[in-house]
Amino acid sequence: MTPTMPRDADATRARLLGAARDEFAAVGIAGARVDRIAAAATSNKAQIYHYFGSKDGLFDAVFDAVVADTLDEVEITPDDLPGYAGRLHDSYDRRPWVQRLATWYRLERGDAGSRIGAVVRSNAAKVEAIAAAQRAGTVRDTFTAPELLGLVIHTAALWSGSTPEFGDLVRGLDGVRRRAVVVAAVDAIVRA
């Protein structure tokens, strides 16, 4: 009789999350297939339902993980929003699936009424940090804290969230220049 190898639940869960991230980024929530995710993770569909409850639960777990990774990697610095935007740009550049997942989320979940708690908490914390800096006088209050956060986040995502047609126009810009544009634009916004 051949001894069985103990199963590593954490490793299986991590493989499922990685495979799901790639599948959801490529085809969205509706287009994703649990059989493809299971096969890519060298697992089975039953494990997806065991760990995540449903395909939607799996997407939530993937999105929560992406948000957590971004928060761990890119901490907001309200007194240096241009620097924060540059670091956020770098993060999006290293992890192209982030913007794709965010786009699918907006398209397929934006009107659903459900919100992912990690995103809500992250946005609230960032808005409060910016508002506190505004109250302290270190950040101008030309824009409200939520407006300023939106401008910073979307400016940081300028290159990673653009259409292919716009990408054709700026194909010659290297990563250093793209980052410099993001930082300069946010600096101009903050000083407005």
Side-chain angles (χ1 to χ4, degrees), residues 1-180:
M1 178 177 229
T2 305
T4 59
M5 299 274 301
R7 295 194 177 162
D8 185 344
D10 290 338
T12 300
R13 192 173 193 284
R15 285 193 320 273
L16 287 168
L17 285 169
R21 180 200 71 202
D22 294 344
E23 176 80 2
F24 288 129
V27 296
I29 303 167
R33 298 291 174 256
V34 292
D35 55 337
R36 286 194 303 249
I37 294 168
T42 61
S43 187
N44 60 61
K45 292 191 305 188
Q47 292 296 341
I48 291 172
Y49 297 110
H50 170 72
Y51 289 116
F52 306 102
S54 65
K55 182 171 70 168
D56 284 335
L58 178 56
F59 179 82
D60 290 347
V62 167
F63 206 72
D64 280 349
V66 166
V67 169
D69 288 347
T70 302
L71 292 175
D72 288 346
E73 183 177 317
V74 188
E75 185 176 333
I76 190 166
T77 49
D79 293 338
D80 180 19
L81 290 173
Y84 169 65
R87 292 190 310 280
L88 194 55
H89 161 270
D90 296 344
S91 177
Y92 292 156
D93 195 45
R94 280 191 303 278
R95 302 175 315 133
W97 58 86
V98 172
Q99 287 300 311
R100 291 187 60 93
L101 289 169
T103 299
W104 285 115
Y105 175 76
R106 283 190 308 273
L107 290 171
E108 298 186 75
R109 288 272 187 84
D111 296 331
S114 65
R115 298 293 180 251
I116 295 177
V119 176
V120 171
R121 289 186 301 276
S122 167
N123 287 340
K126 289 173 185 170
V127 165
E128 179 49 39
I130 292 169
Q134 288 175 323
R135 287 190 300 272
T138 58
V139 173
R140 295 183 67 166
D141 61 0
T142 305
F143 302 102
T144 67
E147 291 167 345
L148 190 51
L149 177 62
L151 289 166
V152 171
I153 288 172
H154 292 287
T155 302
L158 170 66
W159 310 110
S160 59
S162 65
T163 64
E165 294 81 6
F166 179 73
D168 291 344
L169 295 174
V170 294
R171 188 171 316 283
L173 297 181
D174 66 13
V176 172
R177 177 64 183 159
R178 289 175 187 234
R179 185 184 203 281

